[in-house]
Amino acid sequence: MAKFKLTNLLREIPRETPREDASARIMAAQAFSRAAGAPLVHGNSIRLLKDASENYPAWLEAIRSAEKNVYFENYIIRDDIIGQRFADALIAKAKEGIRVRLLYDWLGGLTETSSNFWRHLSNGGVEVRCFNPMRFDSPLAWLSRLHRKSVCVDDRVAFVSGLCVGQMWDGYPERNIAPWRDTGVELRGPVVADVINSFARAWAETGPEIPADELPAPDSIPIAGHIDVRVLGNFAATAGLYRLEQLITVLAQKTLWLTDAYFVGTTSYVQALRGAAMDDVDVRLLVPGSSGDLKFLRPISRAGYRPLLEAGVRVFEWNGSMLHAKTAVADGRWARVGSSNLNMASWLGNWELDVAVENLDFAQKMEQMYLEDLENSTEIVLNKKNRVRPVADQLPHRTRRQYGTVRRRSGSASRLTAGALRVGNTVGAAITSRLVLGAAEAKIMFFGGVTLLALTAIALLEPLLMVIPFSLLAGWIGVSLLIQAHRLHRNGQNDAPAQSASIASDEAQDKVIELPNSLREGQQPEDIRKEARETQEIQKALRQQ
């Protein structure tokens, strides 16, 4: 369990703060660490980086200055001008004898990057690994993706962000298309060790581990400032960030400002946001507008606005080319930046990486950046007929030209999965009657009903169109189960000697004598002590085997 430097926490508290408030803050810090599964690391510096214009140059500068190693992981690395720029920088360092490791996601690079791109990096000396490729023996394993974006150099600097590597983040000036809006941070200090260890855990999922002597300990990295930081996301499917977000929502007293690219909140999280807003907390949610990378899911996202708006949560849609940032700031004291979206795909399915920062100056910078983003956003409200509508349905002609849009096949996150989860939650609630549904879900239920009726008609008119895909999927899953059963059986035979040793060890443990209290307090008889020594020798011999 995480340990805390309570003196540092007390040092941050103003002298006029009552002792009760200091105690409450210490308890809150302990709750944050336990919920997130991440300790609070002291003595760091942090720099806020906005968009690719600030993130990419900082990443490249750090890579070019590397003297020992470079660790690079990203969900999407496109084979375009930006991708080639990073490939050249990584290959150049590898040729200098620097250890360069690159981890990319199989699904993220499936349609965006050619095999020649990865081969070029490997031939240049870069250690390239693919995270979780499609496997015949595991049909559904592909649902868990490496959605993280981090760069670590020489145990001295680390970058955590929401940016992938691609031209859209840098924009298309020749087509009058603005860059995607995104946010990242630069970290220095002991917390860099946590980011590197997070990379090492994901790297170990794809092959041999990084040798332990190559991984830094936090106390081996000099203090670089006075910022307290947590690194969230060492493992997937632990819901650490989800628990932390719930806590922040409950504890926020004045403000809670969220930015998210693919917001599909669970019922409990939406209720937490509603509760905060109804308790006079200024809750705001900034999401993509009409230029989102998957436009057909916009109605599903908008269907979730109404319960928030009814409780007083203010919702804004971005007017730029694409809003891809994933950030939060609460009460001008706590902030989060990273790769996690506010949906179950990020909270439970993917490997994500975020940093939570507890510092007044940094949180105020985040608030200022948020207010600047709202200047290029449209607020969504409920009209007189209680329908969700933007304040201004039509944007000025100049604004549309300035922030031109472009159709994209995919973004860097599973918005499709997020939308499917929302539809699934709504349909499930309607069928089981376990949740109270409102008019906001009516559109989803309508389209769901039409879709099911259409599938029914297809099944009646053309049964093979339904039977063949189902049969193929069922056969695939069946074969994969047989393969895994064979592997388990084979491994069980190979482990027979170890199991025999384990059984013998258990039998030896059964011979351990439970001494009566009278014998524990006094001298043991010689025969009892002899039998105990013999049992210990048997256990020692079994352990050595």
Side-chain angles (χ1 to χ4, degrees):
M1 186 56 62
K3 300 186 180 295
F4 304 94
K5 297 182 179 179
L6 299 186
T7 54
N8 288 357
L9 290 172
L10 289 170
R11 192 180 301 121
E12 269 194 10
I13 301 171
R15 294 182 180 179
E16 67 272 14
T17 302
R19 183 175 296 274
E20 291 79 5
D21 292 344
S23 177
R25 283 199 55 210
I26 293 173
M27 292 181 65
Q30 184 176 1
F32 290 164
S33 289
R34 289 180 178 177
L40 189 65
V41 181
H42 306 279
N44 309 286
S45 67
I46 189 168
R47 180 162 66 111
L48 184 62
L49 301 173
K50 183 176 179 180
D51 296 339
S53 60
E54 296 181 2
N55 280 273
Y56 286 172
W59 299 2
L60 289 168
E61 180 182 358
I63 291 171
R64 290 165 181 154
S65 66
E67 298 178 354
K68 295 190 302 181
N69 50 58
V70 176
Y71 303 138
F72 195 108
E73 64 177 346
N74 213 297
Y75 178 66
I76 292 176
I77 304 176
R78 284 197 165 215
D79 186 3
D80 57 16
I81 296 176
I82 301 299
Q84 290 293 339
R85 188 179 303 168
F86 277 92
D88 292 342
L90 295 173
I91 291 173
K93 298 311 296 185
K95 290 183 176 179
E96 293 177 10
I98 307 300
R99 175 64 62 83
V100 180
R101 294 186 171 102
L102 184 147
L103 186 61
Y104 72 94
D105 185 79
W106 172 81
L107 185 63
L110 184 61
T111 60
E112 310 297 341
T113 312
S114 66
S115 58
N116 291 333
F117 181 83
W118 307 121
R119 192 177 302 110
H120 175 61
L121 281 162
S122 298
N123 293 339
V126 178
E127 296 180 49
V128 179
R129 289 190 185 179
C130 177
F131 185 88
N132 198 14
M134 178 67 77
R135 292 161 44 197
F136 184 78
D137 62 340
S138 187
L140 300 180
W142 64 272
L143 293 175
S144 179
R145 307 315 319 165
L146 181 84
H147 192 242
R148 311 195 306 188
K149 298 95 177 174
S150 74
V151 184
C152 304
V153 177
D154 286 352
D155 304 347
R156 59 180 172 83
V157 61
F159 300 89
V160 176
S161 73
L163 288 87
C164 297
V165 177
Q167 185 66 44
M168 67 276 283
W169 274 268
D170 209 36
Y172 299 84
E174 70 281 2
R175 298 159 61 184
N176 200 27
I177 297 174
W180 281 19
R181 172 72 186 87
D182 221 325
T183 303
V185 292
E186 176 190 278
L187 299 165
R188 296 178 185 270
V191 76
V192 172
D194 284 6
V195 183
I196 294 175
N197 284 315
S198 294
F199 174 89
R201 291 186 181 96
W203 184 262
E205 292 290 311
T206 62
E209 300 180 357
I210 297 176
D213 57 359
E214 293 186 28
L215 301 177
D219 55 5
S220 68
I221 300 178
I223 291 176
H226 61 279
I227 309 295
D228 297 337
V229 184
R230 303 178 201 275
V231 175
L232 312 170
N234 284 340
F235 298 97
T238 58
L241 179 60
Y242 182 59
R243 296 192 298 269
L244 183 63
E245 290 283 355
Q246 291 273 29
L247 272 178
I248 294 298
T249 304
V250 170
L251 295 176
Q253 297 179 352
K254 298 179 181 179
T255 60
L256 177 60
W257 296 350
L258 306 168
T259 301
D260 199 71
Y262 309 100
F263 175 79
V264 185
T266 62
T267 301
S268 60
Y269 187 66
V270 169
Q271 289 301 320
L273 294 178
R274 284 169 51 87
M278 290 187 290
D279 203 22
D280 295 327
V281 177
D282 179 9
V283 183
R284 306 183 187 188
L285 175 64
L286 176 59
V287 294
S290 59
S291 58
D293 56 342
L294 293 176
K295 295 181 177 59
F296 68 91
L297 285 175
R298 191 184 184 202
I300 297 176
S301 298
R302 275 199 168 185
Y305 294 170
R306 181 172 174 172
L308 298 173
L309 296 172
E310 289 176 337
V313 177
R314 300 180 66 186
V315 179
F316 300 84
E317 288 187 344
W318 175 252
N319 296 333
S321 61
M322 171 58 188
L323 177 72
H324 194 260
K326 307 96 167 49
T327 67
V329 56
D331 288 342
R333 174 178 294 276
W334 181 92
R336 173 183 61 84
V337 177
S339 66
S340 295
N341 293 294
L342 300 177
N343 59 52
M344 293 304 294
S346 285
W347 284 328
L348 286 177
N350 297 335
W351 287 67
E352 305 280 2
L353 189 65
D354 301 76
V355 293
V357 184
E358 300 180 18
N359 179 264
L360 293 172
D361 292 338
F362 182 79
Q364 289 172 2
K365 292 179 181 177
M366 290 283 292
E367 286 186 334
Q368 181 61 38
M369 186 174 68
Y370 195 92
L371 293 174
E372 293 173 357
D373 287 340
L374 292 187
E375 294 179 1
N376 186 42
S377 303
T378 298
E379 185 169 8
I380 306 299
V381 297
L382 293 172
N383 64 9
K384 294 180 180 179
K385 294 183 179 181
N386 212 27
R387 295 177 180 175
V388 175
R389 288 290 184 270
V391 173
D393 285 333
Q394 298 297 329
L395 297 177
H397 179 68
R398 178 185 60 82
T399 305
R400 288 188 180 274
R401 283 193 64 186
Q402 181 179 357
Y403 300 99
T405 61
V406 61
R407 294 187 64 183
R408 301 287 179 201
R409 289 181 295 172
S410 63
S412 68
S414 52
R415 190 168 187 179
L416 180 60
T417 304
L421 285 170
R422 176 166 181 80
V423 173
N425 290 337
T426 300
V427 174
I431 294 175
T432 61
S433 298
R434 293 179 181 175
L435 300 176
V436 178
L437 296 173
E441 285 78 16
K443 184 178 296 186
I444 295 177
M445 294 173 65
F446 173 79
F447 285 113
V450 171
T451 301
L452 290 175
L453 288 176
L455 292 175
T456 301
I458 293 173
L460 292 174
L461 298 176
E462 296 290 343
L464 289 179
L465 293 180
M466 300 292 292
V467 172
I468 292 176
F470 175 79
S471 300
L472 292 175
L473 180 60
W476 185 5
I477 296 175
V479 172
S480 70
L481 291 176
L482 292 176
I483 293 174
Q484 294 183 40
H486 174 69
R487 289 176 177 172
L488 290 173
H489 177 71
R490 185 179 58 188
N491 292 339
Q493 291 179 337
N494 295 337
D495 292 342
Q499 291 176 357
S500 299
S502 177
I503 293 173
S505 177
D506 291 341
E507 293 175 349
Q509 290 177 1
D510 290 340
K511 296 180 181 179
V512 176
I513 299 173
E514 182 68 25
L515 300 178
N517 289 336
S518 59
L519 293 179
R520 288 196 191 100
E521 295 172 359
Q523 291 292 326
Q524 302 178 14
E526 182 62 30
D527 57 338
I528 293 179
R529 289 186 300 194
K530 181 180 179 181
E531 188 172 356
R533 285 197 299 270
E534 291 176 352
T535 302
Q536 292 174 354
E537 291 175 358
I538 293 173
Q539 292 175 329
K540 181 178 179 181
L542 289 172
R543 284 196 298 268
Q544 290 176 347
Q545 292 177 1

